[in-house]
Amino acid sequence: MEVARYRPGQDAEPVFQGYDVPLMSDWAVLDGLNHIKDQLDGSLSYRWSCRMGVCGSCGMTVNGEARLTCGTFLSEYGDGPVRVEPLKGFPIIRDLVVDIDGFLAKLSSVRPWLIREGEDLPLTAEYAQTPEQLEAYKQYSMCINCLLCYSACPVYVLDPDFLGPAAIALAQRYNLDSRDMGDRFDVLNQEDAVWGCTFVGECTKVCPKHVDPAEAIQRYKLTAALRSVLPWSRR
Amino acid sequence: MKTEVPAGAAYRPRRDRLWFARTRSYTIFVLRELTSVFVAWSVAFLLMLAGAVLGGGLPEFAALAGRPWMIAINVVALAATAFHSVTFLNLAPKATVVRLDGYRLPAWMIQGGNHSLWLVVSAVIAFFVLRGFR
Amino acid sequence: MIDVLIVGGGGAGLRAAVAVAETDPALKVAVVSKVYPMRSHTVSAEGGAAGVIAPGDTLDEHCYDTISGGDWLCDQDAVEAFVAEAPKELIQLEHWGCPWSRESDGRVAVRPFGGMKKMRTWYAADKTGFHLLHTLFQTTLKYQDIIRYDEWYVTKLLVDDGRVHGVVATEIRTGRIETIPARTVILATGGCGRVFPFTTNAAVKTGDGMALAYREGAPLKDMEFVQYHPTGLPFTGILITEAARAEGGWLINKDGYRYLQDYDLGKPTPTPRLRSMELGPRDRLSQAFVHEQRQGRTVDTPYGPVVYLDLRHLGEAKIDARIPFVRELCRSYQNLDPATDLIPVRPVVHYMMGGVHTDLHGATPIAGLYAAGETACVSINGANRLGSNSLPEILVFGRRAGIAAAAFAKEHREAEPPAVRSQGEDERRRLERAREGGRPRNGRGERIADLRERMQHTLEGAAGIYRTGDVLAKAVDTLAELRERAEEARMEDSSTAFNTELINLLELRSMLEIAQTIAACALNREESRGAHQRTDFSARDDAAFLAHSLVHRAPDGTPSVGLLPVTITRWPPGERVYGRD
Amino acid sequence: MRRAEGVAVRRTPEPYLWLLFSGGGVVAALVLPVLVLLFGVLMPLGVVDWPTAGHLRGLLGNVLVRLTLVVVVVLCLFHAAHRIRHTSEELLGLARFDLVIALFCYGGAIAGGVIAVMLMF
Ligand SMILES: Cc1cc2nc3c(=O)[nH]c(=O)nc-3n(C[C@H](O)[C@H](O)[C@H](O)COP(=O)(O)OP(=O)(O)OC[C@H]3O[C@@H](n4cnc5c(N)ncnc54)[C@H](O)[C@@H]3O)c2cc1C
Ligand code: SF4
Ligand code: F3S
Ligand code: FES
C-alpha cells in the first residue's frame, strides 16, 4: 500500500510512503491501514469508527477515487499497490485526516431541522405521515456525511464556497418532508448554492448510500426557477 | 521534538489544472459541456443559411457548405449535437420528478418519452424541408 | 464558565444538550466529543426503540418484560419511570423529524423484538440509530448557543472536595490541552465493547467515561453483565439486527435444525411468536450457541465456530422492505446475499449493562457529576438488556440528566476553588509526558496494539459467555499487570497534530481500568444470572445476590467490590419463562 | 437560538438564466441534429438534393415559421452561452472573471438574437 503522509512541521507537502500489507481476501482498505498502524507504523493518522459504512468517518481517496475505506475490499485492486490519499478538495490536517469544519457550517446554514408553524402537538400524538409521504424524502435522509460527493465534485474542488451536494440534499430532505413548513429558498437560491452546480453528476456516482444529491439539486433548481418566475407559487 | 501547530495550519492542496483528464467520467462531462460550442456553431450556420435563402445567395451558400473542411466541421457538429440530445434528454428526469399515485414515475419512462418526441420532431422537420406542403 | 458540560455527542449527550437549552436558554451548554457528534456510535443501532404505543399494549407489560428480561436485577422504580417516558421521547423525536417507518394510515409502525411480549419497537427501517442520531444532531443545530468541542478528547474530571468543577481535554487536531471549567458535567460517553476482541462496537467505544468517573472515586455498578448478541458476522463483528429474526429469520445449526427448541425456548413455528424461539432474550440465545458448539453442531470457519441465520424463506421483497440494511451489509461486507444464502453468525460482545452508578436523575455520588446513556447504570437493564430498550434509555435519561444538571448549575454559582487550576496543570504535564513517549524513550516498551490484544483475549477467556472463579481471579491479576505495562507503552508519534496514537494510548488505559472492574465484579458474583453465567455457581442465588455489584477504586488502584440492594416495587423475583405460556 | 428568517434575501439572475439554458437545451436537442444532418452533411455531400430556393423561401414566408426560428435561435444561443460560461470557468479556473465572461457570453447570445430578428423581419 502507498499511503499519503503529511506531518505538519515536518513535511512541506504530502509525500507517499510504502508499506507491505498482506493481501487477505476479506480485508478492506481500512483493515490494511489498521494493520499498518498496529504493527508497522504507529504514527499514521486517519479517522474511522463503525467499520460498517454508517458513521461516515473513513472516506478517503483510493486509487484516485473517493471511497469509504471500510467498504472497499483490498482484493478489488489485485496485487496492488493501493494508493490511499486524503479526500480531495479539503485542507489536510495530517496524513489522511482532512478539515471538514467548513462542511459543518454549510450543513447548519440550510436549517436542517423540522420547521413548524403554530401550535406544537402535545407529546401524546405523532404527526401523521403515510408511507408514500415518507418515501418522497426518505432517500435524501440517508446521507452519512461522508463527504465523498464533495471530493468528487469538480465545482466544489475549485470553489470551496459552493454549498455542495450533501448540504443541498439535506435541505431537500426537509423541504420534501410532509411535516415541514419551512422555506429554504433564501439559502438555496444562491450562486454558491444550487446555481453553482453544473450537473457533473459525479456526486451521485460516488455516493455510497444512494442519496442521489445530483437529483436533489436539479429538482431544487426547477423549484427555484419556477418560484422566481411565478412569485406567487410558494413551494 | 515538539512541533507546535498553530490552529488552522492545514495544508491546502494546489489546484489540479488537469482535473478533467483524471477520470473517464470527468472527461465525458467536459465533452458534454463542450457540445455547447457546436450548438452555437450550428445556430450560426443555420442563420447563414437563412440569410442566403432570403438574400437570394443560396447557390453560393451551397458551394461554401460543400467545401471539405465545412463538411468536416458539420460532421463533428452533428456528432456533438446528437450527443447533446442524448445526454440532455436522459438527464431530464432528474429535475422533473413526476409522481403518480404517490409513487414516482420511473426514469426510463420519462426518458423514453423524451426520445420518442425527439424522433417525431426530427421527422416533421425533415418532412417540411424536403417535401413542404404546397 | 460553562454551566453544563456534556462529555459525549451520541444520543444521550445530544438529548441532554437540547434538554438544557430548552429548560433555560440562559445557561451555557457545551458538548465535548472525541468524534463529530454524527459519527458517534448511536449511529450504528439498527433494529429499533421500544415504547408503548400500540393499542392493546400496556406500560405494565413493558415493565414486566424488561424486569424479567433483566433477571430481576433491574431497579423497578427506574424501569417504571423509563417505560412511562419512553413513548413521549419517541414522539418528541417524531416531532423533530425522525423518519419513523409508518403504517398505511400514517401512524408510526411498531415491530416485534426479542424478549418483548407485545409489538412495541419503533423503527426507521433498519437504521433506527442512524436516523435518531442525525435527527437529534440536526435539531441541536437549531440551538446555536450550544457550544461544540468537536474532536476534543476528555482526559480527566476535575474533582475537588466531592464536587466536580470541569474537565481537562485535548483538542485532537492541534494537541492543545485545556482546562474547561464547568459547574456540572454529564458523562454520555457510551459503552466499552472494545475491551473485548470480537464486538459490534465501534472503535470509539472504549469506556472513557466510566474510567473518568471511576478514577475520581465514583463507583461503577454491575460491570460483570456484558451482553453478547447472538448474531454477529464472523471476522468483522458487524451486527445482524434482531429485527432480522423479528421479521421471521431462523437460527439453524450445521444440520439445518432450529436448535433453540432444545433450550427451553418454545416450539418452532413457521411465523415468529413473541418471546419464544428466535425471539427469546439475547443472553439465552448466546448461551444456547455455546452448548451447540460443545456438542459439535456448529460449523468451523477461520474466524471461529458459527451457526446460520436463515432468511431465505422471507423472500427478496420482504427483506428489501423491512431489513434492507441487513442485505446491504451482507453483500458489501460478507459477500453473500441473504435472499439466497445462509448468513454465518456467532455471538458477539454488544452492550454493557453496567456503568457509572447513578440515581433516577442521572446523578452520581460526586456532586455536579451526572451520567446518562450506555455509560451509566441507572439500572433499567439489570442482568440482561432487552433489545430496543437502549435507544429510548439514552433519550429518557439523557433528558433527565440534562434537566437535573441545569437545576444544579442554577443553584451553585460559586467560583471554582484554586485546587482545580493546579489539578489542570498537573494533568497537562502528564499528557505532555505521555505524548513525548512516556518514560522509556524511542523504540523501547511494548506496542499499544499488542497490549490491547492481550487485554482483550484475557478478558474474553475469563469473562466470556461462561465464566469460572479461578480463571477470573487470574485475569484480575493479569489485567493489573497489563495496566503497569501500559504506563511504559511505546510511542512512535510525538506530534501535536492529530496524534491518534496518543488517543489510542489514553483509550487503552481507560479500557484496562474497566476490564479489571469487569473481571473483579464477575469474580465476586458467585451465582448465575442473566448474562453472567458461572460454571462453578450455575444457579441464581437470590438470597445472597439479588443485589447490584458496586465497585470502587481503592487508593492503590485495585477494584474493591461491594453490593447494593435492588429496588423492588411491584414485581417480586420469579422464574424467567420463554416460549411456554 | 433561531436565526431570524427571511432577512436580506440576495437576488440573483441565475434562475432566469437557468430556465433559458434548460429551454434552450431541450430545443437544441430536439431540432438541431436533424437540421445539421440535412443542411450540413447530407446535402453538401449530395446524398439528398438541395431543395429549391423557392421552396425554402416559401417555408420562411410563413410568419409562424420565422417566429419559431427566432425563438429557437435565441434559446439555443442562450443555452450555449450559459454552458460556455460555466465550462470555461471550470476548465480554466477563471471564476474570478465571472462577470466579464458572463457579459461576453450572454452578450454574444443577445447579439445573435438581434441578427436573427433583423434577418427575418
Ligand atoms: C451495532 C449496534 C446495534 C444496536 N442496535 C440497537 C437497537 O436496535 N436498539 C437499541 O435500543 N439499542 C441498540 N444498540 C445499543 C445502542 O446503540 C447504544 O447503547 C447507544 O447508542 C449508546 O448511546 P450513547 O449516547 O450512550 O453513546 P454513544 O453513541 O456511543 O456516544 C458516545 C459519545 O461519547 C464521546 N466520547 C467518548 N469518550 C470520550 C472522551 N474521552 N472525550 C470526549 N468524548 C468522548 C464519543 O465521541 C461519542 O460522541 C446497538 C448497539 C450496537 C453496537
Ligand atoms: S450525499 Fe452521499 S456521498 Fe455525499 S456525504 Fe451524503 S452519503 Fe456521502
Ligand atoms: S458533482 Fe457537483 S456539479 Fe453538481 S451534480 Fe454533483 S454537485
Ligand atoms: S468506519 Fe464508519 S463509515 Fe467506514
Side-chain angles (χ1 to χ4, degrees):
Chain A
M1 278 170 84
E2 287 176 4
V3 183
R5 303 297 309 267
Y6 169 70
R7 288 145 293 198
Q10 190 178 335
D11 303 318
E13 58 174 26
V15 289
F16 281 98
Q17 195 165 333
Y19 298 98
D20 282 325
V21 173
L23 182 63
M24 312 285 258
S25 64
D26 43 12
W27 273 20
V29 174
L30 180 62
D31 296 312
L33 293 175
N34 282 340
H35 174 82
I36 296 174
K37 172 121 190 135
D38 288 350
Q39 306 302 331
L40 306 175
D41 184 350
S43 74
L44 180 66
S45 275
Y46 50 94
R47 292 190 180 109
W48 71 288
S49 183
C50 68
R51 213 216 164 281
M52 55 192 282
V54 67
C55 75
S57 320
C58 69
M60 296 169 208
T61 307
V62 183
N63 278 10
E65 245 182 287
R67 300 293 289 261
L68 283 185
T69 48
C70 69
T72 305
F73 286 109
L74 274 175
S75 52
E76 220 181 278
Y77 303 96
D79 292 338
V82 181
R83 228 171 209 254
V84 188
E85 295 165 81
L87 281 180
K88 275 184 259 170
F90 297 91
I92 300 165
I93 296 177
R94 159 90 190 258
D95 297 344
L96 300 166
V97 180
V98 295
D99 180 0
I100 64 167
D101 283 345
F103 167 72
L104 271 113
K106 286 176 188 165
L107 208 61
S108 31
S109 78
V110 302
R111 276 173 262 135
W113 51 80
L114 203 70
I115 300 172
R116 302 282 305 179
E117 282 158 16
E119 287 284 306
D120 282 343
L121 275 181
L123 291 183
T124 46
E126 67 267 42
Y127 300 124
Q129 181 166 65
T130 63
E132 293 80 35
Q133 289 171 324
L134 173 64
E135 204 256 353
Y137 69 88
K138 179 93 195 184
Q139 172 191 10
Y140 302 135
S141 73
M142 303 303 278
C143 168
I144 60 174
N145 299 347
C146 65
L147 302 181
L148 300 193
C149 51
Y150 282 73
S151 190
C153 171
V155 174
Y156 174 72
V157 174
L158 290 174
D159 172 18
D161 291 333
F162 174 42
L163 186 56
I168 300 177
L170 186 63
Q172 275 292 65
R173 172 246 173 278
Y174 283 99
N175 281 339
L176 298 174
D177 188 324
S178 55
R179 298 166 291 180
D180 186 82
M181 301 170 169
D183 182 17
R184 298 172 180 83
F185 183 69
D186 55 336
V187 260
L188 295 179
N189 182 44
Q190 294 293 334
E191 294 185 19
D192 279 342
V194 294
W195 303 116
C197 162
T198 47
F199 205 176
V200 180
E202 278 302 292
C203 49
T204 290
K205 216 173 282 169
V206 298
C207 175
K209 298 290 138 184
H210 312 293
V211 174
D212 202 349
E215 177 185 274
I217 302 174
Q218 311 321 312
R219 283 177 72 179
Y220 200 80
K221 281 185 189 169
L222 188 62
T223 312
L226 292 179
R227 259 183 72 163
S228 304
V229 183
L230 316 168
W232 59 88
S233 72
R234 285 285 293 169
R235 265 154 76 100
Chain B
M1 189 191 65
K2 197 165 106 180
T3 46
E4 266 311 327
V5 198
Y11 175 78
R12 285 177 191 277
R14 272 188 312 264
R15 164 179 304 154
D16 177 1
R17 295 199 161 276
L18 290 175
W19 62 269
F20 44 87
R22 295 283 179 247
T23 66
R24 235 174 76 88
S25 42
Y26 284 160
T27 315
I28 291 178
F29 159 74
V30 168
L31 285 181
R32 187 188 91 196
E33 299 295 289
L34 288 181
T35 58
S36 57
V37 174
F38 290 95
V39 166
W41 159 253
S42 309
V43 171
F45 181 74
L46 291 175
L47 277 178
M48 275 151 61
L49 170 67
V53 169
L54 294 173
L58 190 57
E60 292 80 1
F61 179 80
L64 176 71
R67 300 254 170 83
W69 57 270
M70 252 327 226
I71 297 183
I73 291 183
N74 279 325
V75 168
V76 178
L78 174 62
T81 47
F83 184 60
H84 164 80
S85 303
V86 173
T87 51
F88 210 86
L89 298 178
N90 273 343
L91 288 175
K94 290 278 178 200
T96 46
V97 167
V98 181
R99 296 188 153 266
L100 283 179
D101 246 9
Y103 283 97
R104 58 185 288 184
L105 215 57
W108 60 265
M109 283 177 78
I110 303 179
Q111 289 164 342
N114 284 343
H115 287 288
S116 317
L117 184 65
W118 181 24
L119 279 184
V120 171
V121 170
S122 301
V124 169
I125 293 178
F127 172 80
F128 279 117
V129 167
L130 297 177
R131 299 274 195 82
F133 44 77
R134 273 174 307 157
Chain C
M1 163 108 75
I2 284 165
D3 288 303
V4 181
L5 183 136
I6 299 164
V7 187
L14 294 180
R15 184 65 189 89
V18 177
V20 179
E22 283 188 338
T23 312
D24 185 350
L27 290 176
K28 255 177 108 172
V29 204
V31 177
V32 188
S33 177
K34 64 179 175 180
V35 293
Y36 283 94
M38 70 283 184
R39 316 277 192 226
S40 301
H41 186 66
T42 300
V43 83
S44 309
E46 299 172 22
V52 172
I53 188 170
D57 195 3
T58 62
L59 297 179
D60 277 4
E61 282 176 285
H62 190 184
C63 286
Y64 181 78
D65 286 347
T66 304
I67 291 163
S68 60
D71 223 347
W72 278 272
L73 201 67
C74 316
D75 281 337
Q76 298 183 0
D77 52 345
V79 174
E80 289 187 64
F82 160 70
V83 164
E85 285 170 32
K88 290 187 203 136
E89 280 301 311
L90 300 179
I91 290 177
Q92 175 67 75
L93 228 16
E94 197 279 334
H95 289 191
W96 283 336
C98 187
W100 296 113
S101 292
R102 302 287 178 149
E103 300 293 351
S104 52
D105 65 356
R107 294 175 54 86
V108 166
V110 284
R111 65 163 42 135
F113 230 69
M116 300 276 187
K117 183 82 189 152
K118 289 278 164 63
M119 305 236 284
R120 65 168 72 98
T121 296
W122 302 39
Y123 59 101
D126 49 5
K127 286 208 177 165
T128 310
F130 163 80
H131 286 300
L132 189 147
L133 184 66
H134 279 253
T135 302
L136 263 176
F137 176 60
Q138 287 156 14
T139 302
T140 60
L141 297 178
K142 184 160 87 179
Y143 300 94
Q144 294 187 345
D145 291 342
I146 296 177
I147 305 164
R148 283 211 328 265
Y149 291 84
D150 291 341
E151 299 197 322
W152 283 66
Y153 181 91
V154 174
T155 68
K156 184 181 167 59
L157 293 176
L158 297 168
V159 176
D160 184 52
D161 202 14
R163 160 129 198 245
V164 77
H165 292 283
V167 302
V168 176
T170 166
E171 184 180 32
I172 302 178
R173 176 176 177 166
T174 59
R176 190 147 60 102
I177 299 160
E178 282 214 0
T179 298
I180 310 177
R183 296 203 163 85
T184 60
V185 173
I186 302 179
L187 296 171
T189 50
C192 60
R194 285 272 153 182
V195 295
F196 285 88
F198 186 58
T199 174
T200 58
N201 285 194
V204 292
K205 303 206 75 169
T206 53
D208 294 328
M210 299 178 193
L212 288 173
Y214 178 63
R215 286 196 196 110
E216 301 309 323
L220 305 182
K221 189 163 68 188
D222 291 341
M223 293 302 286
E224 65 273 39
F225 296 101
V226 178
Q227 178 164 80
Y228 275 78
H229 194 292
T231 56
L233 291 180
F235 177 50
T236 55
I238 289 176
L239 177 82
I240 299 301
T241 168
E242 196 154 300
R245 281 171 282 132
E247 296 298 343
W250 297 331
L251 279 172
I252 57 178
N253 64 16
K254 80 168 202 267
D255 309 319
Y257 174 70
R258 289 175 72 183
Y259 59 90
L260 292 177
Q261 56 191 290
D262 298 350
Y263 299 93
D264 193 20
L265 282 159
K267 293 272 155 289
T269 47
T271 50
R273 258 186 76 213
L274 296 166
R275 267 177 79 106
S276 148
M277 287 297 288
E278 281 83 2
L279 289 184
R282 293 176 177 170
D283 54 343
R284 298 278 293 275
L285 264 59
S286 297
Q287 289 151 18
F289 173 89
V290 179
H291 290 290
E292 284 294 295
Q293 181 197 348
R294 294 209 175 127
Q295 285 154 45
R297 291 201 291 258
T298 52
V299 182
D300 281 318
T301 72
Y303 304 107
V306 299
V307 289
Y308 291 116
L309 178 63
D310 188 355
L311 301 182
R312 295 172 302 178
H313 53 283
L314 299 182
E316 215 172 309
K318 183 157 186 187
I319 294 178
D320 282 347
R322 300 303 196 90
I323 42 177
F325 192 43
V326 167
R327 192 162 186 211
E328 182 188 325
L329 286 172
C330 287
R331 282 181 160 171
S332 8
Y333 294 88
Q334 198 81 25
N335 220 355
L336 59 82
D337 183 352
T340 51
D341 305 314
L342 293 171
I343 311 173
V345 290
R346 53 171 295 199
V348 51
V349 169
H350 183 55
Y351 183 84
M352 281 302 297
M353 269 69 78
V356 182
H357 169 53
T358 74
D359 68 7
L360 289 188
H361 302 284
T364 70
I366 297 178
L369 180 66
Y370 299 79
E374 192 172 340
T375 206
C377 181
V378 185
S379 169
I380 64 153
N381 296 312
N384 171 57
R385 170 183 75 109
L386 288 193
S388 78
N389 262 354
S390 170
L391 290 178
E393 176 187 358
I394 66 182
L395 298 171
V396 168
F397 292 102
R399 174 174 160 276
R400 279 177 162 245
I403 292 173
F408 186 97
K410 273 199 270 193
E411 275 163 31
H412 296 80
R413 312 297 298 174
E414 65 277 3
E416 66 190 66
V420 168
R421 283 285 151 192
S422 66
Q423 274 187 32
E425 277 312 305
D426 290 348
E427 176 69 3
R428 170 206 298 280
R429 275 191 292 278
R430 190 181 74 88
L431 284 177
E432 278 170 355
R433 221 174 32 240
R435 181 162 63 211
E436 303 295 311
R439 269 152 282 169
R441 279 219 45 121
N442 294 338
R444 298 215 292 115
E446 289 162 278
R447 285 193 163 277
I448 295 170
D450 294 342
L451 289 166
R452 190 167 56 213
E453 215 164 290
R454 287 294 290 276
M455 167 195 72
Q456 291 171 334
H457 286 106
T458 307
L459 202 59
E460 183 181 52
I465 298 177
Y466 284 96
R467 304 154 170 190
T468 331
D470 42 347
V471 184
L472 282 167
K474 232 182 286 151
V476 175
D477 295 339
T478 313
L479 290 166
E481 185 209 319
L482 285 174
R483 223 180 62 203
E484 303 267 300
R485 278 153 63 182
E487 292 300 316
E488 321 254 300
R490 173 155 119 212
M491 283 283 289
E492 294 171 355
D493 187 356
S494 59
S495 157
T496 50
F498 223 96
N499 186 332
T500 47
E501 192 179 37
L502 174 65
I503 302 298
N504 289 164
L505 176 66
L506 298 173
E507 288 174 340
L508 173 67
R509 290 179 183 166
S510 295
M511 287 194 287
L512 281 164
E513 208 83 74
I514 301 306
Q516 224 185 347
T517 66
I518 295 175
C521 290
L523 178 62
N524 187 62
R525 184 175 289 276
E526 299 184 329
E527 64 155 354
S528 290
R529 181 188 297 269
H532 172 74
Q533 296 288 319
R534 287 276 296 258
T535 43
D536 45 355
F537 298 92
S538 58
R540 193 171 94 187
D541 179 358
D542 283 344
F545 288 106
L546 185 59
H548 302 294
S549 306
L550 211 57
V551 53
H552 281 88
R553 192 178 195 269
D556 64 348
T558 53
S560 86
V561 185
L563 293 175
L564 183 80
V566 169
T567 310
I568 306 262
T569 56
R570 291 190 280 147
W571 294 274
E575 199 198 341
R576 288 173 80 197
V577 178
Y578 292 96
R580 343 172 213 137
D581 348 55
Chain D
M1 224 186 63
R2 268 191 131 131
R3 184 188 309 220
E5 280 181 31
V7 282
V9 180
R10 255 187 301 144
R11 293 185 59 89
T12 152
E14 290 296 334
Y16 309 98
L17 297 174
W18 182 79
L19 275 181
L20 288 171
F21 156 80
S22 313
V26 175
V27 171
L30 294 179
V31 308
L32 283 186
V34 64
L35 290 173
V36 176
L37 176 69
L38 290 173
F39 292 110
V41 180
L42 295 184
M43 294 175 190
L45 283 178
V47 180
V48 272
D49 292 335
W50 284 96
T52 61
H55 171 70
L56 290 179
R57 209 170 305 131
L59 275 182
L60 286 182
N62 189 328
V63 183
L64 268 181
V65 172
R66 278 195 305 215
L67 217 59
T68 318
L69 217 60
V70 169
V71 171
V72 166
V73 165
V74 169
L75 284 179
C76 288
L77 285 179
F78 255 99
H79 170 83
H82 193 72
R83 263 197 172 162
I84 291 174
R85 164 184 163 214
H86 280 295
T87 315
S88 62
E89 287 169 15
E90 274 159 30
L91 277 188
L92 311 171
L94 296 177
R96 280 160 297 160
F97 308 117
D98 179 54
L99 195 63
V100 182
I101 297 179
L103 283 178
F104 180 76
C105 290
Y106 300 124
I110 292 171
V114 171
I115 292 176
V117 172
M118 286 179 358
L119 264 180
M120 306 283 173
F121 297 99

